[in-house]
């Protein structure tokens, strides 16, 4: 038998979904802030290979984490598969932040109705 707390966590816009979106947003912002010095250190701008060799794998790991988080939410049917796909196409943070915004907007609209 389900309790009302179980139903609330499964309902669209539930607390679990919001907490999960917060985690995605934090990882995306950290990864985006990491991309700024990574692009600066690239050979096209500053040619700092020692910085790229450290920040590149960190960005790659965060990119995989973002895809995994977005895919997990899709498996939970909190949002569609468009969220992880846009994250892959935009190479991580931009797509996940755009998806986060879209999902939060839909949740707010659903809560208002």
């Amino acid at each position: 038998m389900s309790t009302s707390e179980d139903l609330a966590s499964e309902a669209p816009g539930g607390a679990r979904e919001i907490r999960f979106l917060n985690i995605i947003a934090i990882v995306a912002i950290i990864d985006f802030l990491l991309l700024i010095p990574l692009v600066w250190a690239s050979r096209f701008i500053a040619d700092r290979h020692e910085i790229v060799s450290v920040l590149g794998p960190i960005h790659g790991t965060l990119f995989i984490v973002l895809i995994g988080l977005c895919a997990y939410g899709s498996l939970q049917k909190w949002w569609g598969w468009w969220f992880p796909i846009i994250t892959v196409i935009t190479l991580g943070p931009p797509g996940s932040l755009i998806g986060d915004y879209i999902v939060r907007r839909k949740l707010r609209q659903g809560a208002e109705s």
Side-chain angles (χ1 to χ4, degrees):
M1 179 179 256
S2 295
T3 65
S4 60
E5 291 175 3
D6 291 337
L7 294 175
S9 68
E10 294 173 5
R16 284 184 60 199
E17 187 176 349
I18 298 296
R19 281 192 302 254
F20 207 76
L21 282 170
N22 290 341
I23 293 169
I24 290 173
I26 289 168
V27 172
I29 290 169
I30 291 170
D31 196 21
F32 183 75
L33 292 175
L34 181 73
L35 280 175
I36 295 168
L38 185 61
V39 170
W40 173 80
S42 71
R43 68 179 182 173
F44 299 111
I45 298 173
D47 201 22
R48 303 281 183 169
H49 297 287
E50 62 277 357
I51 295 173
V52 172
S53 67
V54 172
L55 297 182
I58 295 170
H59 164 66
T61 302
L62 291 174
F63 176 68
I64 301 256
V65 168
L66 275 175
I67 293 169
L69 291 171
C70 295
Y72 178 79
S74 295
L75 289 171
Q76 296 298 316
K77 302 208 185 300
W78 292 334
W79 47 74
W81 284 99
W82 60 267
F83 199 164
I85 290 170
I86 195 172
T87 302
V88 169
I89 290 172
T90 62
L91 302 178
S96 59
L97 291 172
I98 291 167
D100 180 84
Y101 173 77
I102 292 169
V103 171
R104 286 181 195 268
R105 188 180 67 200
K106 287 181 181 178
L107 290 175
R108 270 187 249 122
Q109 290 173 349
E112 290 173 357
S113 26

